Amino acid sequence: MIKENGLLPSGSLTSKGELGIQHYDPQELFAKGTHVLFAVPGAFTPTCSEKHLPGYVSLAQEFAEQGVQSINCLSVNDAFVMKAWGDQLGIGDEVRLLSDGNGEYSQTLGLANDTGAFGGIRSKRYAMVIVDGIVEHLFVEDEKQFEVSAARYVLDVLKSEQ
């Protein structure tokens, strides 16, 4: 599993935007500056839709005040599902929705979870703070938990360092 103080690995993620499908290498995307990447087990799922993603949207300005240049949500869903999810929740530009369509990047990070017949390969629920391509903080939830990857928790950690 990726560890704190480790270099974020290269990979392939996508998003659906105004210009169609965009491709991102996380290592390049997060190479400079401070970024938050959090992952959810699935778009349109209850905790993800009602708490996890909306928490980051509502606190986006406070993250920016702490020097965070981008907030990014990753899920093992395709880019079209992620776009529809963002549209339904009306998140705008506060959070970039990134698709790890086949779960390969989540597996590279060691943060994949095989849910079997329920949903196959998914991402574990986590959040990380990335500074200049290095994972400065990593918050991985225990199974069926939602605490340490919540926006408020991550923001409070950043504020405590000021």
Side-chain angles (χ1 to χ4, degrees):
M1 175 171 43
I2 186 85
K3 303 257 189 248
E4 288 182 345
N5 301 312
L7 178 66
L8 195 67
S10 185
S12 179
L13 302 174
T14 58
S15 71
K16 171 80 172 77
E18 298 286 322
L19 303 174
I21 300 291
Q22 296 172 291
H23 297 269
Y24 299 99
D25 180 339
Q27 192 174 64
E28 294 173 10
L29 184 62
F30 306 126
K32 294 190 187 320
T34 301
H35 307 273
V36 171
L37 174 65
F38 70 98
V40 298
F44 295 102
T45 57
T47 301
C48 306
S49 295
E50 296 166 12
K51 297 178 184 174
H52 209 172
L53 178 54
Y56 281 94
V57 172
S58 68
L59 295 174
Q61 182 58 42
E62 289 187 56
F63 275 100
E65 291 166 5
Q66 296 302 310
V68 172
Q69 294 168 290
S70 73
I71 302 171
N72 304 268
C73 176
L74 178 144
S75 185
V76 181
N77 291 107
D78 67 51
F80 297 99
V81 168
M82 294 297 282
K83 169 113 173 57
W85 186 41
D87 289 347
Q88 183 192 49
L89 294 177
I91 67 161
D93 296 331
E94 301 331 25
V95 175
R96 179 187 295 123
L97 300 178
L98 296 170
S99 170
D100 180 17
N102 63 0
E104 185 175 333
Y105 194 67
S106 296
Q107 291 173 345
T108 296
L109 293 174
L111 293 169
N113 185 28
D114 188 347
T115 65
F118 179 75
I121 298 295
R122 296 291 179 160
S123 176
K124 291 184 178 184
R125 186 182 304 280
Y126 67 85
M128 61 175 72
V129 177
I130 306 158
V131 179
D132 296 332
I134 304 296
V135 178
E136 186 170 286
H137 296 288
L138 178 61
F139 310 100
V140 180
E141 297 286 0
D142 289 331
E143 191 74 24
K144 299 188 184 211
Q145 295 296 307
F146 176 60
E147 296 172 15
V148 298
S149 67
R152 175 55 62 195
Y153 185 91
V154 175
L155 183 61
D156 287 347
V157 168
L158 291 174
K159 285 181 173 182
S160 75
E161 296 176 342
Q162 294 295 328

